[in-house]
Amino acid sequence: MLKLTVEPLTIEAFKPFGDVIASEGHDFFMINNGSTRRYHRLAEVETGDEGAPIISIFRADKLPMPLSVRMMERHPLGSQAFIPMRGNPFLILVAPAGDSVESSDLRAFISDGSQGVNYHRGVWHHPILALTDKDEFLVVDRAGPGNNCDEVYFDASQEIVLDPNG
């Protein structure tokens, strides 16, 4: 059995997988006659040559924990960002971009509810892992031609467990 350790979400730890979208740890400059801090260019929207960036809202229910991890997905044609709208912590499960994913490559993080994430193109990740029912996320990703979602399923003999409580 592989039991995943949940790490705090930090800019440095998440760098191999994408961007942490938060003001903490980022530079800013003043705008609007000095009344507003602009934390500029926290993430880049990748859409490929024929895609266009879109904004959606996902409403997600929490999954039973501990979670038996069975699959991962990736978006080979564009990035995908999740920004929590209700300030609730959520889990993030990722593995490096590549043609395949191994259970030993998995890393788990927890957002403090003020941090979003932007998965870079091709990074393996688990579908949204809300910890609160009816949680909402602003999602920025790609629309356009081509298959932009690959899924991989782990062999049933592999037991991969994600437990935010230890």
Side-chain angles (χ1 to χ4, degrees):
M1 176 188 3
L2 173 62
K3 187 170 181 184
L4 299 169
T5 302
V6 178
E7 307 171 46
L9 181 61
T10 65
I11 294 167
E12 196 58 40
F14 198 71
K15 190 173 279 191
F17 312 105
D19 310 297
V20 174
I21 302 171
S23 58
E24 187 70 32
H26 290 282
D27 293 330
F28 64 89
F29 56 89
M30 300 305 292
I31 61 171
N32 298 336
N33 297 313
S35 68
T36 305
R37 291 181 179 191
R38 180 173 177 149
Y39 295 87
H40 186 69
R41 210 170 185 167
L42 298 177
E44 303 235 351
V45 180
E46 300 169 313
T47 62
D49 293 338
E50 298 181 34
I54 60 170
I55 297 173
S56 306
I57 292 176
F58 287 15
R59 182 173 293 151
D61 287 330
K62 65 182 178 180
L63 297 176
M65 295 290 166
L67 178 69
S68 181
V69 178
R70 298 283 180 229
M71 62 85 68
M72 298 286 280
E73 66 179 30
R74 69 175 178 171
H75 305 287
L77 302 178
S79 58
Q80 187 176 46
F82 288 86
I83 300 126
M85 294 181 64
R86 296 191 172 176
N88 295 318
F90 67 101
L91 293 171
I92 300 125
L93 183 58
V94 291
D99 291 335
S100 63
V101 60
E102 300 296 326
S103 60
S104 59
D105 294 331
L106 297 175
R107 287 191 59 193
F109 298 93
I110 187 163
S111 163
D112 65 11
S114 70
Q115 305 160 301
V117 295
N118 182 49
Y119 301 122
H120 287 174
R121 180 187 324 206
V123 166
W124 291 100
H125 60 278
H126 195 279
I128 192 72
L129 291 166
L131 294 172
T132 305
D133 278 334
K134 308 275 184 281
D135 209 354
E136 289 190 345
F137 299 85
L138 182 79
V139 178
V140 181
D141 59 356
R142 176 195 184 275
N147 177 21
N148 193 30
C149 188
D150 296 331
E151 296 177 339
V152 64
Y153 291 85
F154 295 109
D155 185 274
S157 66
Q158 288 185 293
E159 188 176 359
I160 306 165
V161 176
L162 177 60
D163 185 356
N165 299 316

mmCIF file of all heavy atoms in Angstrom, residues 81-122:
data_model
loop_
_atom_site.group_PDB
_atom_site.id
_atom_site.type_symbol
_atom_site.label_atom_id
_atom_site.label_comp_id
_atom_site.label_asym_id
_atom_site.label_seq_id
_atom_site.Cartn_x
_atom_site.Cartn_y
_atom_site.Cartn_z
ATOM 1 N N ALA A 81 -6.456 25.985 -14.361
ATOM 2 C CA ALA A 81 -6.335 26.648 -13.063
ATOM 3 C C ALA A 81 -7.600 26.458 -12.244
ATOM 4 O O ALA A 81 -8.709 26.497 -12.785
ATOM 5 C CB ALA A 81 -6.062 28.137 -13.249
ATOM 6 N N PHE A 82 -7.419 26.255 -10.936
ATOM 7 C CA PHE A 82 -8.515 26.144 -9.977
ATOM 8 C C PHE A 82 -8.302 27.186 -8.890
ATOM 9 O O PHE A 82 -7.279 27.158 -8.196
ATOM 10 C CB PHE A 82 -8.551 24.748 -9.343
ATOM 11 C CG PHE A 82 -9.024 23.686 -10.273
ATOM 12 C CD1 PHE A 82 -8.145 23.051 -11.128
ATOM 13 C CD2 PHE A 82 -10.364 23.318 -10.301
ATOM 14 C CE1 PHE A 82 -8.582 22.068 -11.998
ATOM 15 C CE2 PHE A 82 -10.804 22.342 -11.174
ATOM 16 C CZ PHE A 82 -9.917 21.717 -12.020
ATOM 17 N N ILE A 83 -9.265 28.090 -8.725
ATOM 18 C CA ILE A 83 -9.187 29.139 -7.722
ATOM 19 C C ILE A 83 -10.396 28.991 -6.813
ATOM 20 O O ILE A 83 -11.542 29.103 -7.271
ATOM 21 C CB ILE A 83 -9.156 30.536 -8.384
ATOM 22 C CG1 ILE A 83 -7.934 30.649 -9.302
ATOM 23 C CG2 ILE A 83 -9.132 31.632 -7.330
ATOM 24 C CD1 ILE A 83 -8.246 31.044 -10.688
ATOM 25 N N PRO A 84 -10.171 28.708 -5.512
ATOM 26 C CA PRO A 84 -11.308 28.514 -4.608
ATOM 27 C C PRO A 84 -12.092 29.811 -4.433
ATOM 28 O O PRO A 84 -11.514 30.875 -4.227
ATOM 29 C CB PRO A 84 -10.658 28.070 -3.299
ATOM 30 C CG PRO A 84 -9.257 28.578 -3.361
ATOM 31 C CD PRO A 84 -8.891 28.621 -4.819
ATOM 32 N N MET A 85 -13.409 29.721 -4.547
ATOM 33 C CA MET A 85 -14.257 30.915 -4.457
ATOM 34 C C MET A 85 -14.842 31.111 -3.060
ATOM 35 O O MET A 85 -15.316 32.196 -2.750
ATOM 36 C CB MET A 85 -15.382 30.836 -5.487
ATOM 37 C CG MET A 85 -14.876 30.888 -6.908
ATOM 38 S SD MET A 85 -16.185 30.816 -8.145
ATOM 39 C CE MET A 85 -17.074 32.330 -7.798
ATOM 40 N N ARG A 86 -14.833 30.065 -2.240
ATOM 41 C CA ARG A 86 -15.460 30.162 -0.920
ATOM 42 C C ARG A 86 -14.449 30.111 0.219
ATOM 43 O O ARG A 86 -14.836 30.047 1.380
ATOM 44 C CB ARG A 86 -16.502 29.062 -0.766
ATOM 45 C CG ARG A 86 -17.623 29.244 -1.776
ATOM 46 C CD ARG A 86 -18.786 28.369 -1.512
ATOM 47 N NE ARG A 86 -19.875 28.747 -2.411
ATOM 48 C CZ ARG A 86 -21.000 28.103 -2.470
ATOM 49 N NH1 ARG A 86 -21.225 27.072 -1.693
ATOM 50 N NH2 ARG A 86 -21.943 28.496 -3.311
ATOM 51 N N GLY A 87 -13.164 30.110 -0.124
ATOM 52 C CA GLY A 87 -12.121 30.155 0.900
ATOM 53 C C GLY A 87 -11.889 28.865 1.646
ATOM 54 O O GLY A 87 -11.264 28.872 2.705
ATOM 55 N N ASN A 88 -12.373 27.753 1.101
ATOM 56 C CA ASN A 88 -12.210 26.465 1.774
ATOM 57 C C ASN A 88 -10.935 25.764 1.326
ATOM 58 O O ASN A 88 -10.610 25.772 0.134
ATOM 59 C CB ASN A 88 -13.399 25.550 1.472
ATOM 60 C CG ASN A 88 -14.685 26.093 2.030
ATOM 61 O OD1 ASN A 88 -14.730 26.601 3.144
ATOM 62 N ND2 ASN A 88 -15.748 26.001 1.243
ATOM 63 N N PRO A 89 -10.225 25.117 2.253
ATOM 64 C CA PRO A 89 -9.083 24.296 1.858
ATOM 65 C C PRO A 89 -9.540 23.190 0.897
ATOM 66 O O PRO A 89 -10.689 22.734 0.947
ATOM 67 C CB PRO A 89 -8.597 23.690 3.179
ATOM 68 C CG PRO A 89 -9.095 24.625 4.233
ATOM 69 C CD PRO A 89 -10.422 25.136 3.697
ATOM 70 N N PHE A 90 -8.628 22.768 0.024
ATOM 71 C CA PHE A 90 -8.884 21.637 -0.867
ATOM 72 C C PHE A 90 -7.582 20.902 -1.115
ATOM 73 O O PHE A 90 -6.507 21.442 -0.891
ATOM 74 C CB PHE A 90 -9.565 22.071 -2.174
ATOM 75 C CG PHE A 90 -8.714 22.924 -3.083
ATOM 76 C CD1 PHE A 90 -8.076 22.362 -4.192
ATOM 77 C CD2 PHE A 90 -8.559 24.281 -2.861
ATOM 78 C CE1 PHE A 90 -7.303 23.143 -5.036
ATOM 79 C CE2 PHE A 90 -7.796 25.074 -3.703
ATOM 80 C CZ PHE A 90 -7.158 24.503 -4.792
ATOM 81 N N LEU A 91 -7.699 19.661 -1.553
ATOM 82 C CA LEU A 91 -6.532 18.826 -1.806
ATOM 83 C C LEU A 91 -6.116 18.899 -3.265
ATOM 84 O O LEU A 91 -6.952 19.110 -4.153
ATOM 85 C CB LEU A 91 -6.818 17.367 -1.444
ATOM 86 C CG LEU A 91 -7.042 17.089 0.039
ATOM 87 C CD1 LEU A 91 -7.526 15.654 0.236
ATOM 88 C CD2 LEU A 91 -5.770 17.331 0.835
ATOM 89 N N ILE A 92 -4.840 18.687 -3.499
ATOM 90 C CA ILE A 92 -4.262 18.690 -4.837
ATOM 91 C C ILE A 92 -3.388 17.446 -4.941
ATOM 92 O O ILE A 92 -2.520 17.223 -4.089
ATOM 93 C CB ILE A 92 -3.405 19.957 -5.057
ATOM 94 C CG1 ILE A 92 -4.272 21.222 -4.896
ATOM 95 C CG2 ILE A 92 -2.708 19.924 -6.395
ATOM 96 C CD1 ILE A 92 -3.735 22.178 -3.880
ATOM 97 N N LEU A 93 -3.615 16.628 -5.941
ATOM 98 C CA LEU A 93 -2.817 15.426 -6.166
ATOM 99 C C LEU A 93 -2.241 15.513 -7.565
ATOM 100 O O LEU A 93 -2.994 15.624 -8.543
ATOM 101 C CB LEU A 93 -3.689 14.174 -6.011
ATOM 102 C CG LEU A 93 -2.994 12.837 -6.140
ATOM 103 C CD1 LEU A 93 -1.864 12.683 -5.129
ATOM 104 C CD2 LEU A 93 -4.000 11.701 -5.988
ATOM 105 N N VAL A 94 -0.906 15.489 -7.688
ATOM 106 C CA VAL A 94 -0.237 15.719 -8.965
ATOM 107 C C VAL A 94 0.898 14.732 -9.182
ATOM 108 O O VAL A 94 1.382 14.092 -8.250
ATOM 109 C CB VAL A 94 0.338 17.157 -9.046
ATOM 110 C CG1 VAL A 94 -0.755 18.182 -9.133
ATOM 111 C CG2 VAL A 94 1.258 17.453 -7.880
ATOM 112 N N ALA A 95 1.315 14.656 -10.454
ATOM 113 C CA ALA A 95 2.514 13.922 -10.862
ATOM 114 C C ALA A 95 3.091 14.676 -12.057
ATOM 115 O O ALA A 95 2.369 15.392 -12.761
ATOM 116 C CB ALA A 95 2.174 12.478 -11.232
ATOM 117 N N PRO A 96 4.385 14.533 -12.292
ATOM 118 C CA PRO A 96 5.015 15.289 -13.384
ATOM 119 C C PRO A 96 4.406 14.988 -14.752
ATOM 120 O O PRO A 96 3.876 13.899 -14.997
ATOM 121 C CB PRO A 96 6.473 14.821 -13.345
ATOM 122 C CG PRO A 96 6.672 14.263 -11.977
ATOM 123 C CD PRO A 96 5.341 13.711 -11.561
ATOM 124 N N ALA A 97 4.522 15.965 -15.642
ATOM 125 C CA ALA A 97 4.097 15.780 -17.036
ATOM 126 C C ALA A 97 4.914 14.653 -17.658
ATOM 127 O O ALA A 97 6.070 14.436 -17.298
ATOM 128 C CB ALA A 97 4.299 17.073 -17.823
ATOM 129 N N GLY A 98 4.302 13.949 -18.574
ATOM 130 C CA GLY A 98 4.970 12.849 -19.274
ATOM 131 C C GLY A 98 3.939 11.959 -19.924
ATOM 132 O O GLY A 98 2.730 12.178 -19.780
ATOM 133 N N ASP A 99 4.425 10.941 -20.614
ATOM 134 C CA ASP A 99 3.520 10.038 -21.322
ATOM 135 C C ASP A 99 2.738 9.121 -20.391
ATOM 136 O O ASP A 99 1.680 8.616 -20.747
ATOM 137 C CB ASP A 99 4.290 9.199 -22.343
ATOM 138 C CG ASP A 99 4.806 10.047 -23.496
ATOM 139 O OD1 ASP A 99 4.203 11.110 -23.774
ATOM 140 O OD2 ASP A 99 5.812 9.647 -24.107
ATOM 141 N N SER A 100 3.285 8.875 -19.205
ATOM 142 C CA SER A 100 2.617 7.989 -18.254
ATOM 143 C C SER A 100 2.840 8.523 -16.845
ATOM 144 O O SER A 100 3.604 9.464 -16.639
ATOM 145 C CB SER A 100 3.166 6.566 -18.382
ATOM 146 O OG SER A 100 4.542 6.541 -18.053
ATOM 147 N N VAL A 101 2.181 7.908 -15.891
ATOM 148 C CA VAL A 101 2.328 8.299 -14.489
ATOM 149 C C VAL A 101 2.497 7.036 -13.648
ATOM 150 O O VAL A 101 1.811 6.035 -13.888
ATOM 151 C CB VAL A 101 1.127 9.151 -14.015
ATOM 152 C CG1 VAL A 101 -0.172 8.413 -14.133
ATOM 153 C CG2 VAL A 101 1.332 9.648 -12.607
ATOM 154 N N GLU A 102 3.416 7.084 -12.726
ATOM 155 C CA GLU A 102 3.653 5.982 -11.789
ATOM 156 C C GLU A 102 3.183 6.428 -10.411
ATOM 157 O O GLU A 102 3.322 7.598 -10.047
ATOM 158 C CB GLU A 102 5.141 5.619 -11.745
ATOM 159 C CG GLU A 102 5.725 5.171 -13.072
ATOM 160 C CD GLU A 102 5.101 3.880 -13.583
ATOM 161 O OE1 GLU A 102 4.738 3.019 -12.750
ATOM 162 O OE2 GLU A 102 4.967 3.738 -14.809
ATOM 163 N N SER A 103 2.691 5.480 -9.629
ATOM 164 C CA SER A 103 2.221 5.837 -8.292
ATOM 165 C C SER A 103 3.332 6.457 -7.453
ATOM 166 O O SER A 103 3.075 7.332 -6.622
ATOM 167 C CB SER A 103 1.624 4.612 -7.597
ATOM 168 O OG SER A 103 2.594 3.587 -7.479
ATOM 169 N N SER A 104 4.562 6.071 -7.686
ATOM 170 C CA SER A 104 5.687 6.617 -6.923
ATOM 171 C C SER A 104 5.955 8.084 -7.252
ATOM 172 O O SER A 104 6.675 8.769 -6.516
ATOM 173 C CB SER A 104 6.946 5.790 -7.169
ATOM 174 O OG SER A 104 7.265 5.784 -8.546
ATOM 175 N N ASP A 105 5.383 8.589 -8.362
ATOM 176 C CA ASP A 105 5.562 9.990 -8.762
ATOM 177 C C ASP A 105 4.538 10.931 -8.127
ATOM 178 O O ASP A 105 4.641 12.147 -8.271
ATOM 179 C CB ASP A 105 5.441 10.135 -10.284
ATOM 180 C CG ASP A 105 6.555 9.429 -11.031
ATOM 181 O OD1 ASP A 105 7.667 9.309 -10.477
ATOM 182 O OD2 ASP A 105 6.303 8.995 -12.167
ATOM 183 N N LEU A 106 3.533 10.395 -7.459
ATOM 184 C CA LEU A 106 2.438 11.207 -6.937
ATOM 185 C C LEU A 106 2.878 12.070 -5.756
ATOM 186 O O LEU A 106 3.627 11.614 -4.895
ATOM 187 C CB LEU A 106 1.277 10.322 -6.492
ATOM 188 C CG LEU A 106 0.590 9.494 -7.569
ATOM 189 C CD1 LEU A 106 -0.453 8.580 -6.946
ATOM 190 C CD2 LEU A 106 -0.026 10.374 -8.631
ATOM 191 N N ARG A 107 2.384 13.314 -5.744
ATOM 192 C CA ARG A 107 2.581 14.212 -4.602
ATOM 193 C C ARG A 107 1.247 14.847 -4.269
ATOM 194 O O ARG A 107 0.479 15.219 -5.168
ATOM 195 C CB ARG A 107 3.602 15.290 -4.917
ATOM 196 C CG ARG A 107 4.998 14.686 -4.948
ATOM 197 C CD ARG A 107 6.119 15.640 -5.001
ATOM 198 N NE ARG A 107 6.206 16.593 -3.911
ATOM 199 C CZ ARG A 107 7.013 17.649 -3.974
ATOM 200 N NH1 ARG A 107 7.745 17.876 -5.054
ATOM 201 N NH2 ARG A 107 7.075 18.488 -2.959
ATOM 202 N N ALA A 108 0.993 14.981 -2.980
ATOM 203 C CA ALA A 108 -0.270 15.548 -2.501
ATOM 204 C C ALA A 108 -0.001 16.835 -1.737
ATOM 205 O O ALA A 108 0.949 16.924 -0.953
ATOM 206 C CB ALA A 108 -0.989 14.543 -1.603
ATOM 207 N N PHE A 109 -0.853 17.835 -1.977
ATOM 208 C CA PHE A 109 -0.750 19.130 -1.328
ATOM 209 C C PHE A 109 -2.120 19.523 -0.794
ATOM 210 O O PHE A 109 -3.145 19.017 -1.258
ATOM 211 C CB PHE A 109 -0.295 20.206 -2.322
ATOM 212 C CG PHE A 109 1.066 19.970 -2.906
ATOM 213 C CD1 PHE A 109 1.216 19.291 -4.110
ATOM 214 C CD2 PHE A 109 2.199 20.440 -2.251
ATOM 215 C CE1 PHE A 109 2.476 19.075 -4.659
ATOM 216 C CE2 PHE A 109 3.462 20.235 -2.788
ATOM 217 C CZ PHE A 109 3.605 19.551 -3.990
ATOM 218 N N ILE A 110 -2.123 20.460 0.149
ATOM 219 C CA ILE A 110 -3.382 21.037 0.614
ATOM 220 C C ILE A 110 -3.284 22.556 0.506
ATOM 221 O O ILE A 110 -2.313 23.165 0.956
ATOM 222 C CB ILE A 110 -3.759 20.580 2.042
ATOM 223 C CG1 ILE A 110 -5.166 21.069 2.400
ATOM 224 C CG2 ILE A 110 -2.697 21.000 3.060
ATOM 225 C CD1 ILE A 110 -5.790 20.371 3.583
ATOM 226 N N SER A 111 -4.282 23.136 -0.135
ATOM 227 C CA SER A 111 -4.418 24.591 -0.217
ATOM 228 C C SER A 111 -5.042 25.079 1.085
ATOM 229 O O SER A 111 -5.911 24.409 1.649
ATOM 230 C CB SER A 111 -5.318 24.962 -1.394
ATOM 231 O OG SER A 111 -5.772 26.295 -1.266
ATOM 232 N N ASP A 112 -4.633 26.249 1.539
ATOM 233 C CA ASP A 112 -5.219 26.796 2.756
ATOM 234 C C ASP A 112 -6.555 27.502 2.497
ATOM 235 O O ASP A 112 -7.154 28.062 3.397
ATOM 236 C CB ASP A 112 -4.238 27.739 3.456
ATOM 237 C CG ASP A 112 -3.918 28.993 2.651
ATOM 238 O OD1 ASP A 112 -4.584 29.277 1.629
ATOM 239 O OD2 ASP A 112 -2.974 29.711 3.057
ATOM 240 N N GLY A 113 -7.029 27.469 1.271
ATOM 241 C CA GLY A 113 -8.300 28.100 0.912
ATOM 242 C C GLY A 113 -8.137 29.484 0.309
ATOM 243 O O GLY A 113 -9.064 30.004 -0.304
ATOM 244 N N SER A 114 -6.954 30.084 0.487
ATOM 245 C CA SER A 114 -6.681 31.367 -0.167
ATOM 246 C C SER A 114 -5.776 31.176 -1.379
ATOM 247 O O SER A 114 -5.479 32.134 -2.077
ATOM 248 C CB SER A 114 -6.014 32.339 0.818
ATOM 249 O OG SER A 114 -4.686 31.936 1.113
ATOM 250 N N GLN A 115 -5.348 29.949 -1.616
ATOM 251 C CA GLN A 115 -4.437 29.636 -2.715
ATOM 252 C C GLN A 115 -5.160 28.840 -3.791
ATOM 253 O O GLN A 115 -5.858 27.868 -3.487
ATOM 254 C CB GLN A 115 -3.276 28.771 -2.225
ATOM 255 C CG GLN A 115 -2.493 29.321 -1.066
ATOM 256 C CD GLN A 115 -1.732 28.218 -0.361
ATOM 257 O OE1 GLN A 115 -2.323 27.258 0.114
ATOM 258 N NE2 GLN A 115 -0.419 28.354 -0.307
ATOM 259 N N GLY A 116 -4.943 29.235 -5.035
ATOM 260 C CA GLY A 116 -5.382 28.432 -6.167
ATOM 261 C C GLY A 116 -4.162 27.788 -6.808
ATOM 262 O O GLY A 116 -3.020 28.052 -6.406
ATOM 263 N N VAL A 117 -4.403 26.943 -7.799
ATOM 264 C CA VAL A 117 -3.303 26.315 -8.532
ATOM 265 C C VAL A 117 -3.566 26.409 -10.024
ATOM 266 O O VAL A 117 -4.716 26.429 -10.465
ATOM 267 C CB VAL A 117 -3.088 24.832 -8.146
ATOM 268 C CG1 VAL A 117 -2.635 24.705 -6.700
ATOM 269 C CG2 VAL A 117 -4.328 23.988 -8.403
ATOM 270 N N ASN A 118 -2.491 26.470 -10.774
ATOM 271 C CA ASN A 118 -2.548 26.413 -12.227
ATOM 272 C C ASN A 118 -1.675 25.242 -12.657
ATOM 273 O O ASN A 118 -0.454 25.308 -12.542
ATOM 274 C CB ASN A 118 -2.030 27.716 -12.847
ATOM 275 C CG ASN A 118 -2.123 27.707 -14.349
ATOM 276 O OD1 ASN A 118 -3.159 27.388 -14.921
ATOM 277 N ND2 ASN A 118 -1.036 28.059 -15.017
ATOM 278 N N TYR A 119 -2.310 24.158 -13.111
ATOM 279 C CA TYR A 119 -1.564 22.998 -13.608
ATOM 280 C C TYR A 119 -1.004 23.344 -14.981
ATOM 281 O O TYR A 119 -1.758 23.733 -15.880
ATOM 282 C CB TYR A 119 -2.469 21.769 -13.760
ATOM 283 C CG TYR A 119 -3.144 21.322 -12.483
ATOM 284 C CD1 TYR A 119 -4.523 21.242 -12.404
ATOM 285 C CD2 TYR A 119 -2.397 20.961 -11.373
ATOM 286 C CE1 TYR A 119 -5.150 20.815 -11.254
ATOM 287 C CE2 TYR A 119 -3.020 20.530 -10.207
ATOM 288 C CZ TYR A 119 -4.396 20.461 -10.156
ATOM 289 O OH TYR A 119 -5.019 20.043 -9.018
ATOM 290 N N HIS A 120 0.296 23.173 -15.148
ATOM 291 C CA HIS A 120 0.879 23.387 -16.467
ATOM 292 C C HIS A 120 0.401 22.313 -17.439
ATOM 293 O O HIS A 120 -0.018 21.219 -17.027
ATOM 294 C CB HIS A 120 2.399 23.374 -16.379
ATOM 295 C CG HIS A 120 2.961 24.610 -15.746
ATOM 296 N ND1 HIS A 120 4.287 24.760 -15.466
ATOM 297 C CD2 HIS A 120 2.373 25.769 -15.338
ATOM 298 C CE1 HIS A 120 4.504 25.936 -14.922
ATOM 299 N NE2 HIS A 120 3.348 26.570 -14.823
ATOM 300 N N ARG A 121 0.495 22.621 -18.704
ATOM 301 C CA ARG A 121 0.094 21.703 -19.763
ATOM 302 C C ARG A 121 0.761 20.335 -19.559
ATOM 303 O O ARG A 121 1.963 20.246 -19.349
ATOM 304 C CB ARG A 121 0.520 22.286 -21.103
ATOM 305 C CG ARG A 121 0.171 21.454 -22.298
ATOM 306 C CD ARG A 121 0.759 21.983 -23.574
ATOM 307 N NE ARG A 121 0.779 23.435 -23.617
ATOM 308 C CZ ARG A 121 0.763 24.148 -24.714
ATOM 309 N NH1 ARG A 121 0.743 23.554 -25.882
ATOM 310 N NH2 ARG A 121 0.792 25.455 -24.680
ATOM 311 N N GLY A 122 -0.044 19.278 -19.592
ATOM 312 C CA GLY A 122 0.466 17.914 -19.519
ATOM 313 C C GLY A 122 0.739 17.385 -18.130
ATOM 314 O O GLY A 122 1.093 16.209 -17.983
#
